[in-house]
């Protein structure tokens, strides 16, 4: 018994030490490309994205997106859940929006998720985990008919992974911090990703239809502007004032159209310069918004 414990402890220490050795190689690699790399990094961060992902070790955000430290502000928990009353995640969202000034929030789920699979089972996984997984069970209950329509269990799990991402995106849209950022003139867009562990690719989820008008009305919050300060005024093409909520929906439509048009140009057109693409997209968007 003692011999086995000693042997396993030595092996675990070797693995632990391997991580520290990897850090040294990482530092040397970065310094070889730029001897001031870490001094520049120490001056501050200016990330463009907040990513809320799963704690799963197979889904490291920086590695799968080939981004460097300082480019993505990251929060991770089991099954990438956004609980409205979670102080931790709300502090992350507030800091990202109000201090880092990010304009994009990404919820990233992944296939083969152990938390999602456990939520579909009736067996207890123990203590706080059962309580945490109740959040996913609520999503499962809501979309049970669709999920159970798949015969294969892996397909059911991956479907629930997608539905879970969609639900957490909705929770972010409902968040008062996000809503207030629009009133203050800081538009924030929310995206849903599914990282496919079995292929390594990220799949963008179509979420426009998941944000119904009814939800916007129910969860819309009217904020009082600070004294001596008026709320940000948005205007349409004719110069008429529109509400932050309506501006958000227009911005969503515009973003969706831009993404669609860019993909179209990328697939169907070659040797077209950037200015031509911009002019064409602007014309299409103006026509779409005036319909």
């Amino acid at each position: 018994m003692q011999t086995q414990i000693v042997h396993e402890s030595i092996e675990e220490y070797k693995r632990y030490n391997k991580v520290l050795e990897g850090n040294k190689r990482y530092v040397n690699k970065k310094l070889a490309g730029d001897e001031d790399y870490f001094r520049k990094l120490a001056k501050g961060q200016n990330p463009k994205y907040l990513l809320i992902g799963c704690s799963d070790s197979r889904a490291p955000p920086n590695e799968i997106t080939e981004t460097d430290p300082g480019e993505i502000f990251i929060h991770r928990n089991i099954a990438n859940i956004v609980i409205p009353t979670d102080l931790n995640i709300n502090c992350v969202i507030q800091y990202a929006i109000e201090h880092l000034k990010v304009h994009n929030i990404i919820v990233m789920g992944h296939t083969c998720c152990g938390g999602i699979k456990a939520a579909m089972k009736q067996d207890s996984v123990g203590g706080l985990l059962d309580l945490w997984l109740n959040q996913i069970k609520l999503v499962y209950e809501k979309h049970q008919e669709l999920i159970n329509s798949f015969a294969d269990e892996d397909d059911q799990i991956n479907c629930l992974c997608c539905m879970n991402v969609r639900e957490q995106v909705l929770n972010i849209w409902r968040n008062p911090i996000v809503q207030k950022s629009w009133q203050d003139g800081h538009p924030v867009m929310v995206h849903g990703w599914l990282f496919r562990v079995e292929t390594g690719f990220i799949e963008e989820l179509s979420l426009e239809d998941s944000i119904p008008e009814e939800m916007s009305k129910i969860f819309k919050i009217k904020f009082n502007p600070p004294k001596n300060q008026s709320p940000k005024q948005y205007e349409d093409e004719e110069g008429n004032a529109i509400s932050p909520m309506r501006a958000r929906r227009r911005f969503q439509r515009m973003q969706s159209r831009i993404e669609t048009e860019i993909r179209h140009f990328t697939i169907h057109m070659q040797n077209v310069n950037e200015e031509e693409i911009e002019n064409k997209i602007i014309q299409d968007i103006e026509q779409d918004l005036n319909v």
Side-chain angles (χ1 to χ4, degrees):
M1 180 68 177
Q2 291 180 347
T3 302
Q4 181 181 352
I5 292 175
V6 171
H7 174 73
E8 291 179 354
S9 297
I10 291 174
E11 291 301 314
E12 290 300 326
Y13 183 80
K14 288 180 180 178
R15 294 188 185 96
Y16 168 76
N17 195 56
K18 184 179 179 181
V19 175
L20 295 178
E21 292 298 323
N23 171 250
K24 294 177 183 178
R25 290 192 297 272
Y26 163 77
V27 171
N28 291 333
K29 181 180 178 180
K30 289 295 185 182
L31 293 179
D34 181 0
E35 61 182 15
D36 293 325
Y37 179 84
F38 291 104
R39 281 192 286 270
K40 293 176 183 176
L41 197 63
K43 292 180 180 179
Q45 61 174 325
N46 186 32
K48 303 301 181 184
Y49 322 94
L50 163 61
L51 187 144
I52 298 169
C54 180
S55 300
D56 196 297
S57 59
R58 300 167 295 176
N62 284 118
E63 185 171 349
I64 64 177
T65 57
E66 272 199 346
T67 50
D68 289 324
E71 293 190 63
I72 303 180
F73 196 56
I74 298 172
H75 173 87
R76 301 174 73 177
N77 61 45
I78 293 176
N80 45 272
I81 296 176
V82 181
I83 299 177
T85 55
D86 183 353
L87 294 179
N88 188 342
I89 200 167
N90 278 299
C91 286
V92 170
I93 292 173
Q94 181 175 359
Y95 188 78
I97 291 175
E98 296 182 3
H99 297 272
L100 298 178
K101 303 299 182 182
V102 302
H103 283 276
N104 292 276
I105 299 177
I106 301 164
V107 178
M108 186 180 78
H110 66 93
T111 57
C112 314
C113 181
I116 297 293
K117 183 177 181 179
M120 293 180 63
K121 304 295 183 181
Q122 300 299 313
D123 298 332
S124 171
V125 291
L128 291 176
L129 285 172
D130 287 329
L131 186 61
W132 184 265
L133 294 179
N134 273 343
Q135 302 298 320
I136 307 174
K137 289 179 182 290
L138 292 173
V139 181
Y140 183 30
E141 182 180 45
K142 183 177 179 179
H143 301 282
Q144 193 172 35
E145 183 175 351
L146 171 63
I147 294 167
N148 291 342
S149 67
F150 292 93
D152 184 77
E153 185 182 76
D154 289 339
D155 291 335
Q156 292 178 349
I157 293 171
N158 292 340
C159 181
L160 181 52
C161 288
C162 290
M163 294 300 104
N164 183 53
V165 169
R166 291 172 185 270
E167 195 65 35
Q168 307 319 315
V169 166
L170 291 177
N171 284 338
I172 292 177
W173 277 121
R174 296 176 181 122
N175 191 298
I177 299 167
V178 175
Q179 291 192 43
K180 189 173 187 300
S181 73
W182 277 87
Q183 176 180 287
D184 295 341
H186 181 79
V188 177
M189 300 310 300
V190 190
H191 313 267
W193 287 1
L194 182 71
F195 172 59
R196 293 197 171 273
V197 176
E198 65 275 16
T199 65
F201 287 108
I202 292 171
E203 177 183 326
E204 290 183 280
L205 302 181
S206 178
L207 300 170
E208 290 78 10
D209 295 337
S210 299
I211 307 175
E213 297 291 328
E214 290 76 12
M215 188 210 75
S216 299
K217 293 175 183 177
I218 292 172
F219 287 90
K220 179 179 177 181
I221 300 176
K222 297 179 181 179
F223 298 95
N224 294 322
K227 292 182 179 179
N228 303 322
Q229 181 179 340
S230 300
K232 173 69 177 181
Q233 295 295 315
Y234 296 89
E235 297 180 348
D236 59 18
E237 285 70 21
E238 287 73 37
N240 301 315
I242 58 177
S243 69
M245 193 64 64
R246 187 181 170 198
R248 190 196 79 183
R249 291 195 290 269
R250 289 172 63 84
F251 196 85
Q252 279 181 266
R253 287 177 59 197
M254 185 169 67
Q255 175 189 270
S256 177
R257 188 60 183 267
I258 289 173
E259 292 175 352
T260 301
E261 292 292 341
I262 288 176
R263 291 193 182 98
H264 171 78
F265 281 113
T266 302
I267 296 172
H268 299 289
M269 301 185 68
Q270 296 179 349
N271 302 321
V272 180
N273 65 47
E274 187 173 321
E275 185 176 353
E276 290 181 42
I277 294 177
E278 287 182 0
N279 291 335
K280 181 63 170 63
I281 292 176
I282 290 172
Q283 292 175 4
D284 291 341
I285 290 174
E286 288 177 347
Q287 182 179 359
D288 179 60
L289 292 179
N290 288 329
V291 171

